[in-house]
Amino acid sequence: MKIPIRIYVDLRNRVEDTFFHVLDVSVIGSVASQTIAEIESEEVSFTNPRINEVQKNGLGSLDVELRDRLLTKLFRLAVSEMRSADGSAITWDIANVAKWINRQFIADDAAAILNVLGGFVSPGIEVRDVCNVRID
């Protein structure tokens, strides 16, 4: 099953060498899947991301620890693309995140994530890979 997602990351604040970002992830076409988190990272390279707060949890049926690992990995994925363009925000539509999830997680964890995300997929929706980076 193809699972199209949208990842949005925006650098919101900086306090010395600590950066605060908003991460917004959802299955495209599903408002119910939307998950919004505040992520804290270090230095300009945005290393050691930590979830400070999940403000909206559309992935409620997913184990919290697994959800947080998924969000952290998606943050790292998006930030690597954002940084390559020297941007401060990114919106990235990924037509099928399933293959990436299968490479990032052990089989049982990948299956649990894909099961939850797959429950939000709308039949017949067509999505292309599109990445937009805001450069300030």
Side-chain angles (χ1 to χ4, degrees):
M1 168 187 288
K2 288 185 177 181
I3 300 177
I5 67 162
R6 174 168 293 143
I7 306 168
Y8 172 74
V9 175
D10 192 358
L11 173 61
R12 291 292 168 95
N13 195 11
R14 176 182 182 177
V15 179
E16 295 179 8
D17 286 339
T18 302
F19 294 80
F20 298 91
H21 315 266
V22 169
L23 170 69
D24 185 336
V25 175
S26 60
V27 173
I28 294 174
S30 170
V31 174
S33 69
Q34 184 180 34
T35 300
I36 301 172
E38 180 185 79
I39 307 269
E40 178 181 326
S41 67
E42 299 172 1
E43 305 173 11
V44 178
S45 59
F46 305 142
T47 57
N48 300 320
R50 294 173 302 285
I51 296 174
N52 283 343
E53 176 185 7
V54 174
Q55 298 158 346
K56 182 176 180 186
N57 184 13
L59 306 176
S61 61
L62 196 59
D63 172 75
V64 171
E65 188 268 334
L66 187 55
R67 178 206 65 202
D68 288 355
R69 281 194 293 133
L70 173 64
L71 293 176
T72 301
K73 286 177 182 278
L74 289 170
F75 172 81
R76 284 183 175 134
L77 176 67
V79 163
S80 68
E81 190 71 21
M82 183 178 81
R83 289 199 60 234
S84 70
D86 289 327
S88 61
I90 185 171
T91 303
W92 193 356
D93 291 353
I94 300 174
N96 185 14
V97 76
K99 292 177 187 177
W100 179 84
I101 288 171
N102 281 316
R103 288 191 308 266
Q104 297 295 313
F105 294 90
I106 62 170
D108 288 346
D109 289 349
I113 292 167
L114 295 173
N115 184 50
V116 169
L117 294 178
F120 293 108
V121 174
S122 300
I125 196 164
E126 291 294 323
V127 175
R128 293 181 305 133
D129 291 325
V130 177
C131 185
N132 293 302
V133 177
R134 184 181 74 215
I135 300 170
D136 292 332

